[in-house]
mmCIF file of all heavy atoms in Angstrom:
data_model
loop_
_atom_site.group_PDB
_atom_site.id
_atom_site.type_symbol
_atom_site.label_atom_id
_atom_site.label_comp_id
_atom_site.label_asym_id
_atom_site.label_seq_id
_atom_site.Cartn_x
_atom_site.Cartn_y
_atom_site.Cartn_z
ATOM 1 N N THR L 1277 123.296 149.547 186.756
ATOM 2 C CA THR L 1277 123.764 148.676 185.660
ATOM 3 C C THR L 1277 123.161 147.281 185.733
ATOM 4 O O THR L 1277 122.943 146.636 184.730
ATOM 5 C CB THR L 1277 125.300 148.568 185.705
ATOM 6 O OG1 THR L 1277 125.697 148.180 187.009
ATOM 7 C CG2 THR L 1277 125.941 149.870 185.297
ATOM 8 N N LYS L 1278 122.892 146.805 186.963
ATOM 9 C CA LYS L 1278 122.338 145.463 187.128
ATOM 10 C C LYS L 1278 120.992 145.291 186.441
ATOM 11 O O LYS L 1278 120.784 144.358 185.692
ATOM 12 C CB LYS L 1278 122.240 145.120 188.608
ATOM 13 C CG LYS L 1278 123.608 144.821 189.216
ATOM 14 C CD LYS L 1278 123.475 144.530 190.688
ATOM 15 C CE LYS L 1278 124.870 144.288 191.311
ATOM 16 N NZ LYS L 1278 124.791 144.052 192.761
ATOM 17 N N PRO L 1279 120.038 146.210 186.751
ATOM 18 C CA PRO L 1279 118.773 146.046 186.042
ATOM 19 C C PRO L 1279 118.910 146.215 184.555
ATOM 20 O O PRO L 1279 118.171 145.643 183.784
ATOM 21 C CB PRO L 1279 117.876 147.090 186.646
ATOM 22 C CG PRO L 1279 118.784 148.082 187.258
ATOM 23 C CD PRO L 1279 119.988 147.315 187.684
ATOM 24 N N ALA L 1280 119.884 147.041 184.169
ATOM 25 C CA ALA L 1280 120.083 147.225 182.720
ATOM 26 C C ALA L 1280 120.494 145.930 182.056
ATOM 27 O O ALA L 1280 120.034 145.577 180.983
ATOM 28 C CB ALA L 1280 121.141 148.297 182.483
ATOM 29 N N THR L 1281 121.376 145.205 182.737
ATOM 30 C CA THR L 1281 121.796 143.917 182.188
ATOM 31 C C THR L 1281 120.648 142.921 182.153
ATOM 32 O O THR L 1281 120.488 142.155 181.231
ATOM 33 C CB THR L 1281 122.953 143.346 183.033
ATOM 34 O OG1 THR L 1281 122.552 143.340 184.406
ATOM 35 C CG2 THR L 1281 124.208 144.187 182.873
ATOM 36 N N LYS L 1282 119.846 142.967 183.215
ATOM 37 C CA LYS L 1282 118.681 142.086 183.252
ATOM 38 C C LYS L 1282 117.730 142.376 182.110
ATOM 39 O O LYS L 1282 117.206 141.500 181.460
ATOM 40 C CB LYS L 1282 117.949 142.241 184.587
ATOM 41 C CG LYS L 1282 118.655 141.527 185.724
ATOM 42 C CD LYS L 1282 117.869 141.704 186.979
ATOM 43 C CE LYS L 1282 118.597 141.035 188.172
ATOM 44 N NZ LYS L 1282 117.854 141.219 189.417
ATOM 45 N N LYS L 1283 117.526 143.714 181.921
ATOM 46 C CA LYS L 1283 116.615 144.105 180.847
ATOM 47 C C LYS L 1283 117.155 143.677 179.488
ATOM 48 O O LYS L 1283 116.444 143.219 178.617
ATOM 49 C CB LYS L 1283 116.408 145.612 180.866
ATOM 50 C CG LYS L 1283 115.486 146.062 181.971
ATOM 51 C CD LYS L 1283 115.325 147.573 181.918
ATOM 52 C CE LYS L 1283 114.421 148.052 183.068
ATOM 53 N NZ LYS L 1283 114.287 149.515 183.075
ATOM 54 N N ALA L 1284 118.481 143.872 179.387
ATOM 55 C CA ALA L 1284 119.090 143.481 178.095
ATOM 56 C C ALA L 1284 118.957 141.993 177.835
ATOM 57 O O ALA L 1284 118.651 141.558 176.744
ATOM 58 C CB ALA L 1284 120.571 143.885 178.104
ATOM 59 N N THR L 1285 119.192 141.246 178.938
ATOM 60 C CA THR L 1285 119.069 139.792 178.783
ATOM 61 C C THR L 1285 117.644 139.377 178.478
ATOM 62 O O THR L 1285 117.390 138.511 177.667
ATOM 63 C CB THR L 1285 119.546 139.095 180.064
ATOM 64 O OG1 THR L 1285 118.861 139.675 181.177
ATOM 65 C CG2 THR L 1285 121.046 139.244 180.241
ATOM 66 N N THR L 1286 116.737 140.024 179.188
ATOM 67 C CA THR L 1286 115.322 139.712 178.940
ATOM 68 C C THR L 1286 114.921 140.080 177.533
ATOM 69 O O THR L 1286 114.193 139.355 176.870
ATOM 70 C CB THR L 1286 114.432 140.458 179.958
ATOM 71 O OG1 THR L 1286 114.773 141.851 179.928
ATOM 72 C CG2 THR L 1286 114.595 139.906 181.352
ATOM 73 N N THR L 1287 115.413 141.246 177.109
ATOM 74 C CA THR L 1287 115.084 141.658 175.739
ATOM 75 C C THR L 1287 115.690 140.710 174.716
ATOM 76 O O THR L 1287 115.095 140.397 173.711
ATOM 77 C CB THR L 1287 115.596 143.093 175.485
ATOM 78 O OG1 THR L 1287 116.979 143.151 175.854
ATOM 79 C CG2 THR L 1287 114.778 144.110 176.230
ATOM 80 N N LYS L 1288 116.925 140.254 175.023
ATOM 81 C CA LYS L 1288 117.551 139.298 174.115
ATOM 82 C C LYS L 1288 116.769 137.998 174.050
ATOM 83 O O LYS L 1288 116.542 137.433 173.016
ATOM 84 C CB LYS L 1288 118.982 139.005 174.564
ATOM 85 C CG LYS L 1288 119.958 140.103 174.182
ATOM 86 C CD LYS L 1288 121.346 139.749 174.675
ATOM 87 C CE LYS L 1288 122.305 140.916 174.380
ATOM 88 N NZ LYS L 1288 123.631 140.630 174.894
ATOM 89 N N LYS L 1289 116.360 137.533 175.251
ATOM 90 C CA LYS L 1289 115.576 136.302 175.289
ATOM 91 C C LYS L 1289 114.267 136.457 174.540
ATOM 92 O O LYS L 1289 113.843 135.602 173.799
ATOM 93 C CB LYS L 1289 115.305 135.898 176.729
ATOM 94 C CG LYS L 1289 116.544 135.340 177.429
ATOM 95 C CD LYS L 1289 116.224 135.019 178.859
ATOM 96 C CE LYS L 1289 117.493 134.504 179.579
ATOM 97 N NZ LYS L 1289 117.239 134.230 181.001
ATOM 98 N N THR L 1290 113.646 137.593 174.822
ATOM 99 C CA THR L 1290 112.374 137.827 174.131
ATOM 100 C C THR L 1290 112.571 138.004 172.637
ATOM 101 O O THR L 1290 111.710 137.677 171.846
ATOM 102 C CB THR L 1290 111.683 139.070 174.715
ATOM 103 O OG1 THR L 1290 112.626 140.165 174.680
ATOM 104 C CG2 THR L 1290 111.220 138.833 176.135
ATOM 105 N N ALA L 1291 113.742 138.543 172.270
ATOM 106 C CA ALA L 1291 114.015 138.753 170.842
ATOM 107 C C ALA L 1291 114.332 137.443 170.130
ATOM 108 O O ALA L 1291 114.014 137.270 168.971
ATOM 109 C CB ALA L 1291 115.169 139.727 170.679
ATOM 110 N N THR L 1292 114.964 136.514 170.820
ATOM 111 C CA THR L 1292 115.330 135.242 170.184
ATOM 112 C C THR L 1292 114.131 134.341 169.959
ATOM 113 O O THR L 1292 114.073 133.604 169.010
ATOM 114 C CB THR L 1292 116.358 134.494 171.052
ATOM 115 O OG1 THR L 1292 115.864 134.407 172.387
ATOM 116 C CG2 THR L 1292 117.699 135.198 171.036
ATOM 117 N N LYS L 1293 113.139 134.401 170.825
ATOM 118 C CA LYS L 1293 111.969 133.523 170.719
ATOM 119 C C LYS L 1293 111.183 133.750 169.429
ATOM 120 O O LYS L 1293 110.904 132.819 168.708
ATOM 121 C CB LYS L 1293 111.075 133.691 171.935
ATOM 122 C CG LYS L 1293 111.662 133.004 173.168
ATOM 123 C CD LYS L 1293 110.760 133.210 174.359
ATOM 124 C CE LYS L 1293 111.373 132.552 175.615
ATOM 125 N NZ LYS L 1293 110.542 132.777 176.795
ATOM 126 N N PRO L 1294 110.817 134.994 169.078
ATOM 127 C CA PRO L 1294 110.080 135.178 167.824
ATOM 128 C C PRO L 1294 110.896 134.848 166.598
ATOM 129 O O PRO L 1294 110.377 134.405 165.592
ATOM 130 C CB PRO L 1294 109.695 136.656 167.847
ATOM 131 C CG PRO L 1294 110.612 137.291 168.836
ATOM 132 C CD PRO L 1294 110.913 136.246 169.842
ATOM 133 N N VAL L 1295 112.218 135.024 166.642
ATOM 134 C CA VAL L 1295 113.068 134.669 165.496
ATOM 135 C C VAL L 1295 113.016 133.171 165.238
ATOM 136 O O VAL L 1295 112.900 132.708 164.114
ATOM 137 C CB VAL L 1295 114.520 135.129 165.764
ATOM 138 C CG1 VAL L 1295 115.453 134.581 164.686
ATOM 139 C CG2 VAL L 1295 114.594 136.649 165.779
#
Side-chain angles (χ1 to χ4, degrees):
T1277 53
K1278 286 178 182 178
T1281 52
K1282 283 181 182 179
K1283 284 180 182 178
T1285 52
T1286 53
T1287 52
K1288 282 179 184 177
K1289 287 177 182 178
T1290 53
T1292 52
K1293 285 179 182 178
V1295 171

